[in-house]
């Protein structure tokens, strides 16, 4: 058995808002910390039977990027629920939501 670590470093401004976010992981291809504009971390709190969430983003992340990020997150969760539970209905509903959200974002972009 081996240990694997994922580390995040958050640089905060005077108002405690993220100015920069970097991350590193023992199992990623490149060595050293890499920059990112946003993280979304969800942890199951077994004691309280609830989800703990940390959502952080820098002011460099555009609205369009944020929308794309969360569509990708939901799509990834759809695949995870399928892989972990075999629940095709729930996975398909989530994928269909992603499709609707992509259409919504595309319509917004066409208006701009």
């Amino acid at each position: 058995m081996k240990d694997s670590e994922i580390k995040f470093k958050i640089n905060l401004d005077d108002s405690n808002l993220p100015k920069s976010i970097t991350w590193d992981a023992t199992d990623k291809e490149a060595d050293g910390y890499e920059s990112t504009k946003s993280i979304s971390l969800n942890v199951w709190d077994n004691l309280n039977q609830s989800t703990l969430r940390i959502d952080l983003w820098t002011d460099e992340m555009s609205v369009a990027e944020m929308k794309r990020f969360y569509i990708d997150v939901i799509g990834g969760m759809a695949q995870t629920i399928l892989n972990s539970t075999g629940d095709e209905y729930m996975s398909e509903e989530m994928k269909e939501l992603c499709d609707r959200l992509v259409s919504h974002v595309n319509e917004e972009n066409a208006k701009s």
Side-chain angles (χ1 to χ4, degrees):
M1 186 186 306
K2 75 173 191 169
D3 288 333
S4 182
E5 289 185 349
I6 302 171
K7 299 176 187 177
F8 295 100
K9 288 186 181 180
I10 316 300
N11 179 271
L12 304 173
D13 67 12
D14 293 336
S15 300
N16 286 329
L17 298 174
K19 285 305 289 175
S20 67
I21 302 169
T22 56
W23 69 280
D24 193 17
T26 52
D27 292 333
K28 75 178 179 58
E29 290 180 18
D31 288 334
Y33 280 84
E34 292 184 33
S35 179
T36 188
K37 295 179 184 178
S38 182
I39 62 172
S40 180
L41 179 64
N42 300 285
V43 178
W44 179 249
D45 179 358
N46 197 45
L47 180 65
N48 294 307
Q49 296 290 293
S50 63
T51 302
L52 306 173
R53 296 183 49 216
I54 300 172
D55 295 305
L56 299 172
W57 60 94
T58 68
D59 57 2
E60 292 179 9
M61 186 146 195
S62 70
V63 170
E65 289 173 316
M66 183 65 83
K67 290 178 181 184
R68 172 65 190 270
F69 176 61
Y70 277 99
I71 291 169
D72 287 350
V73 167
I74 295 167
M77 290 188 314
Q79 189 60 51
T80 299
I81 199 72
L82 181 62
N83 294 346
S84 64
T85 68
D87 189 331
E88 292 180 16
Y89 175 81
M90 190 168 179
S91 177
E92 207 45 49
E93 288 292 313
M94 294 168 77
K95 288 177 186 176
E96 288 176 13
L97 171 60
C98 288
D99 291 342
R100 290 192 308 273
L101 292 172
V102 166
S103 293
H104 167 72
V105 168
N106 288 341
E107 288 173 14
E108 277 187 339
N109 291 340
K111 292 177 184 176
S112 302

